[in-house]
Amino acid sequence: MGLEIKKNMAKKILTEAKGYLDVGFTHSLNPYSGCGFSCLYCYVREMPIQKFKDLPWGEWVDIKTNAADIYRNEMKRLRKKPNPVNIFMSSATDPYQPIERKALITRGLLEEMIEHPPDFLQIQTRGPLIKRDIDLLTQLKEKCTLLVSMTIETDREDIKRIFAPYAPGIKLRLNVLKELHDAGISTQASISPVLPFTPNFPKALEGIVDHIWIDTLSIGDGSMGKRSERLGMPKLFEDHGLSKWYRKDIHVAVEKYFKKYVPSEMIRVSKNEAFPSYMAKNDANT
């Protein structure tokens, strides 16, 4: 699969949180437009950012070369007010997709965040490359509340290959989660979206995460499953004999199953519990 890469100068880097993220996050931050992981279920395929592109999702990436400078300037303006700054990075791309290895946009942003920290930062990724930045993350967690959320949508490599053939392997992601956790960084496994998994899935997460996030194609695509339907997800599940997993209430069954093995306070479910409860309490006290 070819990848068209362009360099752009961003006008803004912090976007006011709306819709799905408007549960405690104040801003989203996307270091890139487009994503080389090209997951088949990605809801961004149905958003305007892709609809107006000539190339298919997964075949183009725009690099926001001035992201760190823009972040610094925007944070200085935001800090003139007493309001908290709670950032979700990223909502429409992956901050640790392959191009980051050379482009270093996300790393540059982390360096700026150490100097101008938000109150809360959640890094959402499926990229094992994040372990490269453990040095910066350990510094940043002393400046703000930090949560690294790694997408682990299944513990089955065969299932991953059906739905996300270009995404990194599951075992590799689990190993990186352990490294982050061992480094004292707060970690979360994002089962997002829920894909078929083995009975041993909870055991695979034991001792390497502080939180488990459950999200599905029906409650987490921003349109109550309509985007996922347009992406052909029901047929893809059906074609592989997995239709029983494509249920609007699958999150209920998954939550119940995980609670057999994991303390209930570790588990969150899309969308109302997206923002960590301990941060919501902190905000209420400010």
Side-chain angles (χ1 to χ4, degrees), residues 4 14 18 23 30 49 67 75 89 128 140 160 169 182 189 230 248:
E4 181 184 271
L14 293 175
K18 297 179 180 178
V23 289
N30 291 285
I49 192 173
M75 279 298 293
M89 182 172 78
L140 185 57
K160 183 210 76 79
D182 289 349
R230 292 196 295 268
K248 291 188 181 299

PDB file of all heavy atoms in Angstrom, residues 4 14 18 23 30 49 67 75 89 128 140 160 169 182 189 230 248:
ATOM      1  N   GLU A   4       0.863   8.617   0.406  1.00  0.00           N
ATOM      2  CA  GLU A   4       1.176   9.979  -0.015  1.00  0.00           C
ATOM      3  C   GLU A   4       1.375  10.843   1.218  1.00  0.00           C
ATOM      4  O   GLU A   4       0.481  10.956   2.056  1.00  0.00           O
ATOM      5  CB  GLU A   4       0.045  10.548  -0.871  1.00  0.00           C
ATOM      6  CG  GLU A   4       0.326  11.969  -1.351  1.00  0.00           C
ATOM      7  CD  GLU A   4      -0.831  12.567  -2.108  1.00  0.00           C
ATOM      8  OE1 GLU A   4      -0.898  12.400  -3.337  1.00  0.00           O
ATOM      9  OE2 GLU A   4      -1.694  13.195  -1.455  1.00  0.00           O
ATOM     10  N   LEU A  14      -4.985  22.772  18.783  1.00  0.00           N
ATOM     11  CA  LEU A  14      -5.921  22.386  19.835  1.00  0.00           C
ATOM     12  C   LEU A  14      -7.335  22.710  19.378  1.00  0.00           C
ATOM     13  O   LEU A  14      -7.651  23.873  19.103  1.00  0.00           O
ATOM     14  CB  LEU A  14      -5.604  23.109  21.143  1.00  0.00           C
ATOM     15  CG  LEU A  14      -4.288  22.734  21.821  1.00  0.00           C
ATOM     16  CD1 LEU A  14      -4.042  23.627  23.039  1.00  0.00           C
ATOM     17  CD2 LEU A  14      -4.283  21.274  22.227  1.00  0.00           C
ATOM     18  N   LYS A  18     -15.820  18.479  21.400  1.00  0.00           N
ATOM     19  CA  LYS A  18     -17.265  18.451  21.177  1.00  0.00           C
ATOM     20  C   LYS A  18     -17.706  17.006  20.981  1.00  0.00           C
ATOM     21  O   LYS A  18     -16.898  16.118  20.791  1.00  0.00           O
ATOM     22  CB  LYS A  18     -17.643  19.287  19.947  1.00  0.00           C
ATOM     23  CG  LYS A  18     -17.329  20.772  20.078  1.00  0.00           C
ATOM     24  CD  LYS A  18     -17.713  21.515  18.822  1.00  0.00           C
ATOM     25  CE  LYS A  18     -17.391  23.010  18.937  1.00  0.00           C
ATOM     26  NZ  LYS A  18     -17.720  23.745  17.697  1.00  0.00           N
ATOM     27  N   VAL A  23     -17.049  15.228  27.551  1.00  0.00           N
ATOM     28  CA  VAL A  23     -17.427  14.584  28.807  1.00  0.00           C
ATOM     29  C   VAL A  23     -16.400  14.902  29.893  1.00  0.00           C
ATOM     30  O   VAL A  23     -16.367  14.256  30.932  1.00  0.00           O
ATOM     31  CB  VAL A  23     -17.557  13.047  28.634  1.00  0.00           C
ATOM     32  CG1 VAL A  23     -18.775  12.698  27.814  1.00  0.00           C
ATOM     33  CG2 VAL A  23     -16.284  12.459  28.021  1.00  0.00           C
ATOM     34  N   ASN A  30      -4.493  16.607  17.263  1.00  0.00           N
ATOM     35  CA  ASN A  30      -4.124  15.648  16.219  1.00  0.00           C
ATOM     36  C   ASN A  30      -2.842  16.112  15.530  1.00  0.00           C
ATOM     37  O   ASN A  30      -2.870  17.068  14.762  1.00  0.00           O
ATOM     38  CB  ASN A  30      -5.251  15.516  15.190  1.00  0.00           C
ATOM     39  CG  ASN A  30      -6.472  14.830  15.763  1.00  0.00           C
ATOM     40  OD1 ASN A  30      -6.496  13.625  15.951  1.00  0.00           O
ATOM     41  ND2 ASN A  30      -7.500  15.614  16.067  1.00  0.00           N
ATOM     42  N   ILE A  49     -13.090  14.938   6.811  1.00  0.00           N
ATOM     43  CA  ILE A  49     -11.657  14.981   6.532  1.00  0.00           C
ATOM     44  C   ILE A  49     -11.263  13.949   5.486  1.00  0.00           C
ATOM     45  O   ILE A  49     -10.334  14.150   4.704  1.00  0.00           O
ATOM     46  CB  ILE A  49     -10.845  14.774   7.832  1.00  0.00           C
ATOM     47  CG1 ILE A  49      -9.369  15.110   7.587  1.00  0.00           C
ATOM     48  CG2 ILE A  49     -10.993  13.351   8.358  1.00  0.00           C
ATOM     49  CD1 ILE A  49      -8.534  15.085   8.846  1.00  0.00           C
ATOM     50  N   ALA A  67       3.391  21.971  14.522  1.00  0.00           N
ATOM     51  CA  ALA A  67       2.483  21.613  15.618  1.00  0.00           C
ATOM     52  C   ALA A  67       2.990  22.085  16.978  1.00  0.00           C
ATOM     53  O   ALA A  67       2.229  22.629  17.784  1.00  0.00           O
ATOM     54  CB  ALA A  67       2.260  20.102  15.633  1.00  0.00           C
ATOM     55  N   MET A  75      -1.327  27.364  24.129  1.00  0.00           N
ATOM     56  CA  MET A  75      -1.342  27.120  25.570  1.00  0.00           C
ATOM     57  C   MET A  75      -1.096  28.409  26.352  1.00  0.00           C
ATOM     58  O   MET A  75      -1.694  28.631  27.411  1.00  0.00           O
ATOM     59  CB  MET A  75      -0.295  26.075  25.935  1.00  0.00           C
ATOM     60  CG  MET A  75      -0.753  24.641  25.705  1.00  0.00           C
ATOM     61  SD  MET A  75      -2.202  24.186  26.707  1.00  0.00           S
ATOM     62  CE  MET A  75      -1.506  24.233  28.348  1.00  0.00           C
ATOM     63  N   MET A  89      -5.293  13.132  22.868  1.00  0.00           N
ATOM     64  CA  MET A  89      -4.415  13.032  21.700  1.00  0.00           C
ATOM     65  C   MET A  89      -4.263  11.546  21.315  1.00  0.00           C
ATOM     66  O   MET A  89      -3.587  10.798  22.020  1.00  0.00           O
ATOM     67  CB  MET A  89      -3.037  13.629  22.023  1.00  0.00           C
ATOM     68  CG  MET A  89      -2.070  13.608  20.841  1.00  0.00           C
ATOM     69  SD  MET A  89      -0.506  14.504  21.128  1.00  0.00           S
ATOM     70  CE  MET A  89       0.388  13.307  22.135  1.00  0.00           C
ATOM     71  N   PRO A 128       3.331   0.936  19.016  1.00  0.00           N
ATOM     72  CA  PRO A 128       4.401   0.590  19.963  1.00  0.00           C
ATOM     73  C   PRO A 128       5.548   1.596  19.972  1.00  0.00           C
ATOM     74  O   PRO A 128       6.348   1.612  20.905  1.00  0.00           O
ATOM     75  CB  PRO A 128       4.884  -0.781  19.456  1.00  0.00           C
ATOM     76  CG  PRO A 128       3.735  -1.338  18.686  1.00  0.00           C
ATOM     77  CD  PRO A 128       3.078  -0.151  18.050  1.00  0.00           C
ATOM     78  N   LEU A 140       6.903  14.224  31.885  1.00  0.00           N
ATOM     79  CA  LEU A 140       5.606  14.896  31.759  1.00  0.00           C
ATOM     80  C   LEU A 140       4.642  14.492  32.864  1.00  0.00           C
ATOM     81  O   LEU A 140       3.842  15.314  33.324  1.00  0.00           O
ATOM     82  CB  LEU A 140       5.002  14.589  30.385  1.00  0.00           C
ATOM     83  CG  LEU A 140       3.695  15.298  30.033  1.00  0.00           C
ATOM     84  CD1 LEU A 140       3.861  16.813  30.123  1.00  0.00           C
ATOM     85  CD2 LEU A 140       3.224  14.890  28.641  1.00  0.00           C
ATOM     86  N   LYS A 160      -7.257  -9.536  14.421  1.00  0.00           N
ATOM     87  CA  LYS A 160      -6.637  -8.249  14.080  1.00  0.00           C
ATOM     88  C   LYS A 160      -6.330  -8.160  12.593  1.00  0.00           C
ATOM     89  O   LYS A 160      -6.539  -7.131  11.957  1.00  0.00           O
ATOM     90  CB  LYS A 160      -5.349  -8.036  14.880  1.00  0.00           C
ATOM     91  CG  LYS A 160      -4.689  -6.672  14.638  1.00  0.00           C
ATOM     92  CD  LYS A 160      -3.181  -6.708  14.785  1.00  0.00           C
ATOM     93  CE  LYS A 160      -2.481  -7.333  13.615  1.00  0.00           C
ATOM     94  NZ  LYS A 160      -2.335  -6.422  12.436  1.00  0.00           N
ATOM     95  N   GLY A 169       1.158  -5.653  15.704  1.00  0.00           N
ATOM     96  CA  GLY A 169       0.706  -6.877  16.338  1.00  0.00           C
ATOM     97  C   GLY A 169       0.270  -6.659  17.780  1.00  0.00           C
ATOM     98  O   GLY A 169       0.770  -5.778  18.474  1.00  0.00           O
ATOM     99  N   ASP A 182       5.633  -0.420  33.856  1.00  0.00           N
ATOM    100  CA  ASP A 182       6.805  -0.626  34.701  1.00  0.00           C
ATOM    101  C   ASP A 182       7.589   0.668  34.928  1.00  0.00           C
ATOM    102  O   ASP A 182       8.302   0.798  35.927  1.00  0.00           O
ATOM    103  CB  ASP A 182       7.727  -1.690  34.091  1.00  0.00           C
ATOM    104  CG  ASP A 182       7.146  -3.087  34.170  1.00  0.00           C
ATOM    105  OD1 ASP A 182       6.128  -3.278  34.878  1.00  0.00           O
ATOM    106  OD2 ASP A 182       7.701  -4.002  33.517  1.00  0.00           O
ATOM    107  N   ALA A 189      -5.823  -0.096  28.780  1.00  0.00           N
ATOM    108  CA  ALA A 189      -6.075  -0.909  27.591  1.00  0.00           C
ATOM    109  C   ALA A 189      -7.431  -0.501  27.034  1.00  0.00           C
ATOM    110  O   ALA A 189      -8.447  -0.599  27.721  1.00  0.00           O
ATOM    111  CB  ALA A 189      -6.066  -2.389  27.931  1.00  0.00           C
ATOM    112  N   ARG A 230     -22.231   1.953   7.523  1.00  0.00           N
ATOM    113  CA  ARG A 230     -21.862   2.423   6.190  1.00  0.00           C
ATOM    114  C   ARG A 230     -20.495   1.896   5.762  1.00  0.00           C
ATOM    115  O   ARG A 230     -20.224   1.761   4.564  1.00  0.00           O
ATOM    116  CB  ARG A 230     -21.878   3.959   6.138  1.00  0.00           C
ATOM    117  CG  ARG A 230     -23.266   4.573   6.253  1.00  0.00           C
ATOM    118  CD  ARG A 230     -23.283   6.028   5.823  1.00  0.00           C
ATOM    119  NE  ARG A 230     -22.493   6.870   6.702  1.00  0.00           N
ATOM    120  CZ  ARG A 230     -22.969   7.510   7.771  1.00  0.00           C
ATOM    121  NH1 ARG A 230     -24.243   7.367   8.101  1.00  0.00           N
ATOM    122  NH2 ARG A 230     -22.189   8.275   8.499  1.00  0.00           N
ATOM    123  N   LYS A 248     -25.587  -4.609  19.462  1.00  0.00           N
ATOM    124  CA  LYS A 248     -25.596  -3.266  20.038  1.00  0.00           C
ATOM    125  C   LYS A 248     -25.333  -3.289  21.538  1.00  0.00           C
ATOM    126  O   LYS A 248     -24.922  -2.288  22.105  1.00  0.00           O
ATOM    127  CB  LYS A 248     -26.925  -2.569  19.737  1.00  0.00           C
ATOM    128  CG  LYS A 248     -27.099  -2.220  18.258  1.00  0.00           C
ATOM    129  CD  LYS A 248     -28.318  -1.380  18.029  1.00  0.00           C
ATOM    130  CE  LYS A 248     -28.513  -1.042  16.553  1.00  0.00           C
ATOM    131  NZ  LYS A 248     -27.390  -0.274  15.998  1.00  0.00           N
TER     132      LYS A 248
END
